[in-house]
Amino acid sequence: MIKTHRVTHAKHFTVSRLGAVFASLAIGLLTGQAQALATTSDSQQSQSSEQPNIVLFLVDDMGWQDTSLAFTAQPTPANQHFRTPNMEALAAKGVKFTQAYSHAVCSPSRVSLMTGQNPTRHHVSNWTKLPDIDHSGSWGPNAAPRDWRTEGLQPNDVTLAKTLQQAGYHTIHVGKAHFGAYGTQGAEPKNLGFDVNIAGHAAGAPASYWGEKNFGNGMEGAEGLPQGVPSLAEYHQKKVHLTDVLTEKAKQEITKAQQTGKPFFLNMAYYAVHTPIEAHPRLVKHYQNKTYQDTDIDIPEVEENYASLVEGMDDSVGGVLQHLEALGIAENTLVVFTSDNGGLSGHSRQTTPRGTELNSHNWPLHSGKGSAYEGGTRVPYIVAWAKPDQQAAMQQALPIAVNKMSYQQVMIEDLFPTLVAVADAKQHLPQGYPLDGMDTRQFWQATDKQVMRPVVFHYPHVWGPHGPGYEPHSAMRLGDWKVIYLYNSRTWLLYDLATDLTEQHNLAQRYPVKLAQLASRLKQELESMDVQWPVNRVTDKDEEMKLPQGSEALLAQH
């Protein structure tokens, strides 16, 4: 049952009641690489010649600049600070998209990935925890919509995993899920179409990344709920890092997938680089007791730890790709890399390589996770074959340019129709199922091609901290123009991102006709997807979007 934003008390959830959700998976360990390779050739023969394996690397909270791979025309100070050689290598194998987007916070993006729908339509418009409770921030004049889906994604929803499963794929989830709320069936990825679930549950972050702390099991989580990462008890009390453990588990599952005779889909969903910002012990030494490159700015401890989390994730990407090649299946494996929202910058972080503080970690983008600005939603995005080979039949059927860049604007909900098409699984979608994403395969070879389409964001919530754009908002990109509506102040903002990537110059008054056109288009797009408006705390009425004054007359004239 969907509850309103006025619900304030959770039902009584106990660890025993959630036991089924967090039950450990019995995963057998293979005795050696030789045994794995011995089974590879037979399984490859039985795999469909038209369905590639798919590996999706989904990083949590990774910003556009949290990488040594430049997504700008020239490398930035942040690019010089981070160490991500495997991202660089992956981009050299395929196409780097410089204008890729997710939504402002995690659960909306993850549900969009799984459904192909914008949060405006699927109504999981904020991060989830308990099925009856809105966890939005409480400051400001506007509260969350009355009936947004606090329970999150559930088994009755159409999902990418179920669709691929129906098309013959062996589906694997490793890492963070955060699809459905505690105590609901949607908290368990196996109820959403995954054959295998390693370490995924309702929580949006681990209580700890360290095996010595049992990955947070036994630690008191937020609101007394279990926040320890499940199904990894064999690593408890060991000096291991969660990212490394998930990498080993993913490699084991890939090996076992070859024995099924099916193509596989691996949703490699890292808990990194989300808080808690705990060091990756074997990598943090690369940043300790040092200054940012070409500066005299000491790297703060939290930034040392953060960079080690990023590098640990990148190291994992390299490990998974090497394993695909060792098994002889890299030529038949499609790889996509992205993040679930913009980089964290509103709290916890400290001084950047530019000597700046909060809300500047994604520079030249403005602000960060939870925000209406580019720093809240623009993300790294790479598509490649794990091992490019022009002679491989699958790659001839689905060519991907090598070492190229695309300026096409893509969204996380585009992954659903794209991967469904890759898997030849369209026939398994319900008739008339509404999709907001588009098939982006057309840009993988024709990297100069660009299609004009509205890129719509709707976050009718308060995420948490005060800061630039951290409030209920709607926004849209159309070409180089971006329009933002802030519900608290009923303010319109207009930016030309071609000349003002940092979103410092509001052009709303200079270009009233353009503002009127874009504002009207944004409202139309939202209403076509069954928009839910925030609710005014004083009047208890929907806080509907107010078009700019005089818009109707301006539009009539033009």
Side-chain angles (χ1 to χ4, degrees):
M1 180 178 179
I2 297 174
K3 303 293 183 179
T4 74
H5 70 284
R6 293 182 288 260
V7 175
T8 57
H9 297 288
K11 295 178 182 177
H12 181 61
F13 287 86
T14 65
V15 174
S16 61
R17 183 174 171 186
L18 295 174
V21 178
F22 302 117
S24 298
L25 298 173
I27 299 174
L29 300 178
L30 295 179
T31 57
Q33 185 74 14
Q35 180 179 352
L37 293 173
T39 63
T40 300
S41 59
D42 291 341
S43 64
Q44 282 182 311
Q45 290 175 2
S46 61
Q47 178 177 328
S48 167
S49 61
E50 299 178 354
Q51 291 177 304
N53 304 312
I54 301 169
V55 174
L56 172 62
F57 292 109
L58 180 63
V59 192
D60 193 10
D61 284 7
M62 184 182 184
W64 197 58
Q65 293 296 301
D66 291 345
T67 172
S68 56
L69 176 66
F71 284 84
T72 49
Q74 299 296 326
T76 66
N79 299 146
Q80 295 175 327
H81 168 58
F82 290 102
R83 297 162 55 107
T84 57
N86 292 295
M87 283 185 65
E88 295 181 48
L90 183 62
K93 295 177 181 179
V95 181
K96 173 179 67 174
F97 286 80
T98 64
Q99 300 194 76
Y101 292 92
S102 290
H103 297 284
V105 297
C106 50
S107 293
S109 289
R110 290 166 188 270
V111 176
S112 289
L113 160 66
M114 288 286 277
T115 63
Q117 296 180 342
N118 190 277
T120 315
R121 187 185 304 277
H122 63 62
H123 294 168
V124 185
S125 49
N126 199 16
W127 58 274
T128 60
K129 183 181 288 184
L130 289 168
D132 301 320
I133 303 298
D134 169 45
H135 297 281
S136 305
S138 59
W139 61 269
N142 291 305
R146 300 177 191 282
D147 55 357
W148 74 275
R149 291 186 58 187
T150 55
E151 77 279 11
L153 194 66
Q154 294 300 316
N156 59 329
D157 290 305
V158 173
T159 72
L160 175 62
K162 279 194 289 189
T163 305
L164 297 185
Q165 194 179 56
Q166 291 164 2
Y169 274 72
H170 178 69
T171 53
I172 309 164
H173 175 85
V174 176
K176 174 177 171 175
H178 207 192
F179 298 128
Y182 280 102
T184 71
Q185 290 187 330
E188 167 55 70
K190 288 198 289 186
N191 293 330
L192 302 173
F194 287 100
D195 295 306
V196 176
N197 170 32
I198 305 293
H201 66 142
S208 175
Y209 284 98
W210 296 340
E212 299 98 311
K213 293 185 177 179
N214 300 338
F215 307 119
N217 287 278
M219 298 171 61
E220 184 175 353
E223 300 182 12
L225 295 169
Q227 202 168 327
V229 179
S231 72
L232 300 175
E234 66 206 84
Y235 296 96
H236 289 184
Q237 296 301 300
K238 294 183 179 179
K239 291 185 177 181
V240 290
H241 192 274
L242 179 58
T243 300
D244 293 340
V245 169
L246 295 179
T247 306
E248 291 307 308
K249 287 292 187 182
K251 289 159 67 174
Q252 292 168 17
E253 292 301 328
I254 290 171
T255 300
K256 289 194 289 185
Q258 296 312 291
Q259 301 173 16
T260 68
K262 298 178 179 181
F264 68 83
F265 167 56
L266 169 62
N267 185 38
M268 186 67 185
Y270 296 99
Y271 280 94
V273 293
H274 197 289
T275 56
I277 304 178
E278 293 178 330
H280 199 300
R282 65 182 175 84
L283 299 172
V284 71
K285 61 187 176 183
H286 295 155
Y287 311 94
Q288 289 175 326
N289 303 314
K290 295 182 179 180
T291 60
Y292 288 111
Q293 185 173 326
D294 300 327
T295 76
D296 58 1
I297 303 169
D298 289 330
I299 304 175
E301 182 179 3
V302 67
E303 297 302 326
E304 297 170 356
N305 295 345
Y306 186 84
S308 75
L309 285 175
V310 171
E311 185 173 353
M313 173 280 303
D314 181 82
D315 190 60
S316 172
V317 170
V320 171
L321 295 178
Q322 289 171 14
H323 191 66
L324 294 170
E325 189 159 355
L327 292 177
I329 58 174
E331 293 90 345
N332 293 340
T333 303
L334 174 71
V335 177
V336 181
F337 179 102
T338 192
S339 172
D340 66 348
N341 48 248
L344 181 69
S345 193
H347 63 75
S348 303
R349 304 288 299 278
Q350 292 184 16
T351 302
T352 74
R354 299 169 54 244
T356 52
E357 300 286 340
L358 295 182
N359 306 313
S360 65
H361 293 84
N362 298 299
W363 185 88
L365 305 184
H366 188 32
S367 200
K369 173 183 178 179
S371 172
Y373 294 105
E374 290 287 287
T377 54
R378 197 182 288 208
V379 294
Y381 193 104
I382 306 167
V383 176
W385 287 102
K387 184 179 180 180
D389 181 357
Q390 293 183 349
Q391 303 307 312
M394 285 190 183
Q395 296 190 33
Q396 290 178 351
L398 184 61
I400 300 176
V402 173
N403 198 26
K404 294 293 185 177
M405 180 169 60
S406 172
Y407 296 107
Q408 173 63 37
Q409 296 161 22
V410 295
M411 288 284 282
I412 195 165
E413 53 258 39
D414 294 339
L415 283 171
F416 182 103
T418 302
L419 297 182
V420 165
V422 165
D424 191 24
K426 292 181 181 178
Q427 67 273 22
H428 298 287
L429 295 178
Q431 186 173 4
Y433 180 71
L435 283 169
D436 299 311
M438 71 174 180
D439 183 350
T440 58
R441 292 176 301 164
Q442 59 188 302
F443 310 111
W444 293 359
Q445 179 68 18
T447 55
D448 290 335
K449 181 178 181 179
Q450 293 188 57
V451 173
M452 180 83 76
R453 47 88 68 104
V455 177
V456 176
F457 310 93
H458 181 60
Y459 186 64
H461 301 266
V462 173
W463 170 54
H466 291 263
Y470 300 134
E471 60 180 276
H473 64 265
S474 298
M476 182 183 70
R477 275 206 69 174
L478 191 62
D480 291 328
W481 291 99
K482 181 176 178 181
V483 65
I484 299 173
Y485 182 71
L486 302 175
Y487 288 87
N488 285 355
S489 58
R490 300 175 181 172
T491 299
W492 285 97
L493 308 173
L494 179 66
Y495 299 103
D496 178 1
L497 296 184
T499 59
D500 184 22
L501 183 60
T502 59
E503 296 173 287
Q504 297 299 306
H505 305 289
N506 180 14
L507 303 177
Q509 292 186 343
R510 184 180 300 181
Y511 298 106
V513 175
K514 176 61 70 174
L515 175 63
Q517 292 170 338
L518 292 175
S520 178
R521 177 69 179 273
L522 172 56
K523 190 172 185 181
Q524 289 173 9
E525 293 289 337
L526 294 174
E527 291 176 339
S528 73
M529 292 186 283
D530 189 26
V531 63
Q532 295 177 318
W533 306 112
V535 175
N536 188 287
R537 298 183 197 274
V538 176
T539 66
D540 197 36
K541 295 181 179 179
D542 287 356
E543 180 66 34
E544 293 191 23
M545 176 180 287
K546 305 294 191 299
L547 291 177
Q549 187 174 4
S551 290
E552 187 174 341
L554 286 171
L555 292 173
Q557 296 170 11
H558 296 83

